[in-house]
Amino acid sequence: MRTDEEFTSNDLIQGHQLMALIFVSRLVPITVTFPSITGISVPQDGWIVMFISTLGAIPVVLWINWLAQAFPRRTIVEYSEILLGKIAGKALSLVFVFYLLLIAGITARQVGEAYTAAIMPETPILVFMGVIAFVAGNAAYNGVEVVGRVAETVFWIVLVVTVVVLTLPMNAMRFENLRPVLPGGLGIIVKETATSWIIFLEIIVSAMIVPFLTRPSDARRFSLLAVGGVGLVGMSFAAVLVAVFGVLTPTLTLPAFSLGRLISIGDFLERIEVIPMGIWTVSAGVKMSFFLWAGAVGLAQICGLRRYQPFVYPLCVLSVSLGVLLFDDVMEMERFSAPERSGICIMVIVLGFMTVLTLARLLRGNRTSGDGGEG
Amino acid sequence: MLSGRQVSILLLVCLLLSLSGCWSRREIETLGFVMAMGIDKAQEEGKLQLTMLVAKPFALGGGEKSNPQEAAVWIFSSTGDTVFEAIRNGNSQSPRRLFFAHNRWVLFGEELAREGIQQALDFWSRDGESRRTVHVAVAKGTTASQMLQTRFELERQPSEGARGILNNAAKALSTVVTVRLNEFLQSLESPGVSPVASRADIVPRPKDPDVRGEVVEEVIGSSARITGAAVFKRDHLVGWLDQSETRGLNWVRSEVRSALLVIEDPGNPGQRIGIEITRARGQSSVEHVDGRFVARIKVEAEGHLGDTTAFVEPETDIWELLEKRMAQAIREDIYAAVSKGQKLQTDFFGFGSYLYRSNPRLWSQVEDEWQDLIFPTMAVEIDVRSQLRRTGLVIRSDKLTSR
C-alpha cells in the first residue's frame, strides 16, 4: 500500500512538532477572525464558548487517535482503503481531501481579508492570497519535516506575541465587563459553541501525519496538549477582548488586530499591531502548508503515486481559487462559517468519515489489525 | 536549461521590482498628518462640518528649513453628509493625502453634541487608520472649529498641548475625565451607563505683545482649558459637570489618581488646609431593598498634609478632625455629582450597569425605566473612609512670633 517509501524513511517529525502544528493551526481562526466571537449575543460568554468547545474537542482527538493507532504507519487515506475497500475508500478520501483544500482556501482568504480590511486596502486581495499560498506551497513541497520545523519555530514566537498582545492593553481592560456570567443561560451560546467546535474538527488533519511521527504513539498525547493549550489561549483571548471592548466585541471583524491597536504604553510603545499581524500571517502560512501537504499526500495516495510533490502547486492554485470564488464579500464569508451553513457539511464530512471508518473497524474486528501492525 | 541556482538568482532579481513598494504604499512626504478633528453642524441643513488640524512638519523640525515663526499647524474645514464624505472632500483643499493614524482628538461642537452625535461616530471605529485611543471631547459654548483655533504656551502643536493639560489635570487634580473613543462607544451601547466626555472651554487671553515662552512672534489670542466633563444621555449632550462634580464622579469610578482637597482648618476658623490625595479607591453596588433601589458607594482615600494658611500643629484630636473633614469634602463632591446626574436624568456613574452585573434578571425588568424614573429618585448611601498618613517634610507649620 505504501505509495512513497521516502515518507517513512526520511520525512519524520517529532511529537512536539505535531503539537506545534495543531496549536498554530487552531490559533489562526482565533487570531485572525475569531468567528465564534463575532456576532455572539452575550460577549462575556465567549470564554465559556471556548471552554466548552475545547472540552468537546477532546473526544474527537481521542477518536481520531483510536482509529490511527490501529494503523500507526498509515494515513487516514490509506487505512480507509483497507477498511472500506478501494472504491469506497478512495471516494471518501477524495471528499476528505476536498475538505482539506477548502480549509486551506478559507485560511488564505481570511488572511487576504485581514490585510485588505486593516492595513492595505488598495492592494488586491489576490496578492496576499497568492503570496501566502506560494510560501505555504513551498514548505509543503519540501516535506512534512520542513512544515514541522517551521511550526516548531513559529509556535514560540506566536506564543510570546500572543501573551504580549493579551497583557499590554492592560490600561484599557475592565474586568467587570465579564459579568454577569451566562445571563441568558447556556441555550443562547449553542450556535457559537458549535462554530468553535466545528473549527476544532480541523484536527482530523492530524490523521494524515501520524505515520510520519518518529513515534506514532505520541500523537494522542501531543494532540491533547495542543488542544488544551489552544483552549487556554482562546479562553484568555475571549476574556481579554471582552474586558477591553465590552459590548462592542461582537461587532469587530478582526478582534485580535483591534486589540493590538489599543496597545499604548506610556505614549511610547504603540502602533505595534503590525508585528502580531505579521506573526499571525506566518502562522496562517504554517496552517496552509500543513493542509496543502496533507491534501497533496492524500491525493497522491488515492492515485497510487510514489510522490506527492506534483500535486502541491496545483493544490495551491485550487485553494486560492476556492478562497476567491467561494465568497463574494466578507458578510458571505461570515455567514459561511455558521453551523447551519458550512458547519453541517464539515460535520458530515469529518464525523461521517470517522463514523464510517469506526463502524468498518468494529465490524472487521481483528481482521484488519495485521494490515497496520507496523509499529 | 536553467539550473536551480540560476532560477533562484532570476527570482531574486524579479523580487527587486517589488522593492519600490506595494499598491498601498504611503510616502511620508505625501501625507498630511491630522492631529485633531473637530465636528460641527454645517450651515447647510443636515450636513456635517469637519475641521482638521494638520501638522506642518517643516514648521516643527529643526534645521535650516524650519521657521519658528510659522504656525505649526494648518487648520481647514470641509463639509459632507457623512464624516467620510467630509474627509474626502477635504482632499480637494489639501495638497497632501490626509492621514488619520496620528489623530489625537475627536472634538464635538456643543450645538451638534446637543442634537446627537451618532451620525458622526461610525467612521472612527470602522476606518483602519483612525484609532480607538483618540480622546473624545466637547467644546463648551462654542464650535469645535473655534476650539481648534486656540493655542497653547510651551507646545506648538495644539493637540499635544491639550493632551498635556488633560494628562496633568488627571494626574494632579482629578477634575477631568479622560475618555477615549473605545470607552465612549462602549458607554453608548452598554446597559445602564451613560457616556461622558472631556470638556473643553475657551479661555480668552489678553492681547499682550510681551509673549513669553517658546512662541516668539505669535500672540496667543485664546487658549483652551480642559476641565470638568460633558454629560450625555444616549448620544445627546445634556449637561456639564464642574470641577467638584467631576471629581465626585472620579471618586465613584475609582479614577482619582491624585487630587487636592482644600478643607477648613479645624483649629483656625476661616483658614484653609490643603490635603493631597495620594491613593483612593471607590466601590459601588446597587441593591433592591423593600421595593426601592439604593446605590451604596464606598470610598477609601489616603492623603497627606499639603499646606496650610495658618499655624497648625497636628495633635491627635486635630488629626482626627482633619480626617473627618477630608471625608466630608469627598462626600460633598460625590453628592454634587449624584445630584447633577439625577437632575439631568442620566446615569453616568453606571449604577444601572452594576445592577445589570449583579442581577441581570431584575435589570431586564427595570431597564426601560432606569434613566428617567428609577435613577433620578434612588437613594444613595456614601461611606467614606479617609486616612491622613503624613505631614510632608515638617510636622508643624512655622510659628510667627512678635519678637
Side-chain angles (χ1 to χ4, degrees):
Chain A
M1 278 303 293
R2 172 87 31 230
T3 54
D4 188 340
E5 286 177 9
E6 277 185 351
F7 290 172
T8 50
S9 56
N10 298 328
D11 234 9
L12 293 175
I13 63 165
Q14 309 269 331
H16 66 270
Q17 290 174 322
L18 169 68
M19 182 188 75
L21 272 170
I22 296 172
F23 181 89
V24 169
S25 299
R26 179 60 184 92
L27 205 62
V28 168
I30 293 173
T31 50
V32 179
T33 51
F34 219 153
S36 47
I37 277 282
T38 307
I40 188 171
S41 48
V42 187
Q44 67 264 34
D45 294 345
W47 68 272
I48 300 172
V49 165
M50 203 62 211
F51 177 69
I52 298 172
S53 60
T54 306
L55 285 184
I58 292 171
V60 179
V61 173
L62 296 176
W63 191 5
I64 291 167
N65 282 281
W66 176 76
L67 277 172
Q69 291 311 318
F71 306 95
R73 287 294 169 203
R74 297 197 186 279
T75 67
I76 192 169
V77 170
E78 286 176 310
Y79 63 73
S80 69
E81 282 189 39
I82 297 171
L83 289 171
L84 306 172
K86 273 207 160 179
I87 295 173
K90 280 185 196 296
L92 284 181
S93 295
L94 259 179
V95 177
F96 173 65
V97 167
F98 176 75
Y99 163 70
L100 298 178
L101 195 63
L102 182 74
I103 300 296
I106 292 173
T107 305
R109 178 68 182 256
Q110 282 173 335
V111 170
E113 286 292 347
Y115 271 88
T116 328
I119 302 178
M120 299 187 219
E122 291 94 355
T123 309
I125 193 168
L126 257 179
V127 173
F128 304 114
M129 295 176 72
V131 168
I132 198 163
F134 179 69
V135 174
N138 264 344
Y141 189 88
N142 284 295
V144 69
E145 204 181 323
V146 171
V147 176
R149 275 208 307 265
V150 174
E152 189 185 4
T153 313
V154 167
F155 171 79
W156 291 109
I157 304 172
V158 167
L159 208 60
V160 170
V161 167
T162 304
V163 170
V164 166
V165 170
L166 287 179
T167 47
L168 286 189
M170 192 66 83
N171 292 342
M173 291 183 200
R174 300 279 179 274
F175 284 103
E176 61 266 25
N177 286 349
L178 291 165
R179 291 174 58 213
V181 178
L182 286 173
L186 277 169
I188 58 167
I189 55 169
V190 168
K191 190 178 159 189
E192 288 79 14
T193 310
T195 306
S196 177
W197 183 73
I198 286 163
I199 299 170
F200 266 117
L201 292 182
E202 290 173 6
I203 206 169
I204 194 176
V205 69
S206 66
M208 287 298 295
I209 216 169
V210 172
F212 300 97
L213 287 177
T214 47
R215 275 191 306 198
S217 57
D218 282 350
R220 188 173 66 179
R221 182 160 56 105
F222 283 106
S223 301
L224 285 174
L225 273 174
V227 166
V230 91
L232 210 62
V233 171
M235 281 159 61
S236 313
F237 243 119
V240 168
L241 280 171
V242 173
V244 171
F245 296 108
V247 289
L248 304 175
T249 310
T251 66
L252 303 168
T253 48
L254 301 168
F257 178 72
S258 299
L259 194 63
R261 281 161 61 85
L262 279 181
I263 293 174
S264 176
I265 308 293
D267 285 341
F268 171 70
L269 187 67
E270 48 186 22
R271 301 171 206 286
I272 58 166
E273 65 273 9
V274 176
I275 297 171
M277 188 75 178
I279 301 303
W280 295 332
T281 309
V282 176
S283 53
V286 169
K287 180 180 181 180
M288 245 192 116
S289 64
F290 187 17
F291 279 75
L292 284 173
W293 170 85
V297 170
L299 213 52
Q301 290 175 338
I302 291 168
C303 300
L305 299 178
R306 287 177 58 81
R307 295 181 72 239
Y308 73 94
Q309 278 87 348
F311 285 112
V312 172
Y313 290 113
L315 284 185
C316 279
V317 175
L318 273 176
S319 66
V320 171
S321 311
L322 261 180
V324 172
L325 295 172
L326 268 176
F327 322 108
D328 279 341
D329 51 62
V330 73
M331 293 309 293
E332 207 173 307
M333 193 165 89
E334 197 187 313
R335 282 195 298 272
F336 181 82
S337 66
E340 67 270 21
R341 300 277 298 267
S342 64
I344 298 269
C345 303
I346 290 170
M347 276 198 286
V348 169
I349 293 172
V350 176
L351 300 182
F353 194 26
M354 285 169 58
T355 308
V356 171
L357 291 177
T358 305
L359 288 174
R361 192 190 154 186
L362 291 174
L363 286 172
R364 289 186 168 215
N366 291 331
R367 277 185 293 154
T368 55
S369 59
D371 288 326
E374 297 160 28
Chain B
M1 196 69 186
L2 293 172
S3 69
R5 193 186 168 85
Q6 286 169 323
V7 171
S8 305
I9 291 171
L10 198 66
L11 264 176
L12 281 174
V13 171
C14 290
L15 281 175
L16 283 175
L17 294 173
S18 66
L19 285 181
S20 60
C22 56
W23 277 268
S24 307
R25 72 183 185 278
R26 288 158 201 162
E27 306 297 343
I28 195 163
E29 63 271 16
T30 63
L31 297 178
F33 292 90
V34 177
M35 304 303 289
M37 295 279 305
I39 311 175
D40 293 299
K41 276 178 71 180
Q43 280 184 340
E44 205 175 332
E45 187 63 31
K47 290 205 173 202
L48 293 168
Q49 176 185 311
L50 247 68
T51 305
M52 287 169 259
L53 198 137
V54 185
K56 284 194 204 168
F58 42 87
L60 278 170
E64 287 174 12
K65 284 186 177 176
S66 69
N67 178 5
Q69 293 174 24
E70 186 170 352
V73 288
W74 169 49
I75 301 169
F76 75 103
S77 297
S78 66
T79 58
D81 286 319
T82 67
V83 169
F84 203 13
E85 193 198 3
I87 285 172
R88 284 289 162 102
N89 287 342
N91 280 296
S92 62
Q93 297 173 63
S94 172
R96 294 188 175 193
R97 181 189 180 281
L98 298 168
F99 187 64
F100 294 87
H102 294 266
N103 184 22
R104 298 288 200 186
W105 290 91
V106 174
L107 182 68
F108 295 98
E110 180 168 350
E111 194 184 355
L112 175 73
R114 287 205 181 269
E115 288 186 12
I117 56 173
Q118 188 173 16
Q119 55 177 323
L121 281 176
D122 184 75
F123 173 81
W124 309 105
S125 50
R126 197 177 290 278
D127 182 61
E129 273 177 23
S130 176
R131 282 162 190 271
R132 286 168 181 257
T133 50
V134 295
H135 294 285
V136 181
V138 183
K140 185 173 187 290
T142 184
T143 60
S145 168
Q146 285 293 321
M147 186 61 72
L148 287 177
Q149 314 279 338
T150 57
R151 292 289 175 271
F152 297 87
E153 296 283 8
L154 303 181
E155 284 287 355
R156 297 190 68 201
Q157 272 290 346
S159 63
E160 292 306 302
R163 221 161 62 94
I165 290 176
L166 182 71
N167 288 341
N168 283 341
K171 281 178 192 160
L173 294 163
S174 295
T175 52
V176 293
V177 286
T178 307
V179 181
R180 303 206 181 238
L181 184 69
N182 186 46
E183 192 186 338
F184 188 83
L185 293 174
Q186 277 186 63
S187 305
L188 275 171
E189 206 169 314
S190 296
V193 60
S194 296
V196 289
S198 300
R199 163 183 155 177
D201 296 53
I202 288 184
V203 187
R205 303 274 299 263
K207 299 263 184 209
D208 183 356
D210 181 20
V211 176
R212 300 174 183 86
E214 256 191 20
V215 182
V216 182
E217 294 294 331
E218 195 181 349
V219 176
I220 293 182
S222 60
S223 200
R225 185 171 54 193
I226 316 282
T227 182
V231 178
F232 287 77
K233 189 170 186 176
R234 286 179 283 277
D235 67 322
H236 296 266
L237 175 76
V238 288
W240 306 95
L241 298 188
D242 63 20
Q243 295 195 14
S244 162
E245 291 160 351
T246 307
R247 198 168 51 204
L249 170 64
N250 284 331
W251 291 119
V252 178
R253 300 204 309 182
S254 204
E255 283 177 8
V256 170
R257 283 190 272 176
S258 179
L260 195 77
L261 292 178
V262 178
I263 57 175
E264 192 175 20
D265 184 344
N268 301 292
Q271 297 296 330
R272 294 278 182 266
I273 292 181
I275 307 277
E276 183 187 5
I277 302 296
T278 51
R279 192 166 297 140
R281 202 164 79 93
Q283 265 186 316
S284 303
S285 62
V286 174
E287 287 167 26
H288 192 229
V289 185
D290 301 330
R292 288 200 69 206
F293 287 96
V294 182
R296 298 191 204 282
I297 300 165
K298 193 174 161 187
V299 174
E300 288 170 14
E302 279 180 27
H304 64 245
L305 208 59
D307 68 343
T308 65
T309 57
F311 174 75
V312 169
E313 183 153 24
E315 304 290 341
T316 312
D317 52 338
I318 294 280
W319 199 254
E320 282 172 8
L321 272 173
L322 284 174
E323 284 179 341
K324 279 185 184 165
R325 292 201 174 182
M326 183 178 152
Q328 183 56 30
I330 294 171
R331 222 172 277 126
E332 281 168 12
D333 281 348
I334 298 172
Y335 270 125
V338 171
S339 303
K340 179 63 77 73
Q342 291 184 324
K343 189 178 151 203
L344 296 172
Q345 298 188 342
T346 180
D347 179 7
F348 47 79
F349 297 93
F351 290 137
S353 66
Y354 296 124
L355 179 64
Y356 165 67
R357 282 173 192 140
S358 60
N359 194 343
R361 197 164 291 175
L362 180 59
W363 170 252
S364 65
Q365 291 165 19
V366 299
E367 189 176 359
D368 296 336
E369 297 172 341
W370 184 262
Q371 297 273 6
D372 297 327
L373 298 173
I374 297 172
F375 169 70
T377 56
M378 77 188 292
V380 176
E381 290 178 7
I382 304 167
D383 174 21
V384 180
R385 289 176 195 178
S386 58
Q387 244 182 341
L388 211 48
R389 294 280 189 200
R390 290 165 200 95
T391 58
L393 295 182
V394 294
I395 294 171
R396 63 165 180 77
S397 318
D398 297 334
K399 193 184 279 183
L400 302 178
T401 61
S402 54
R403 281 181 294 165

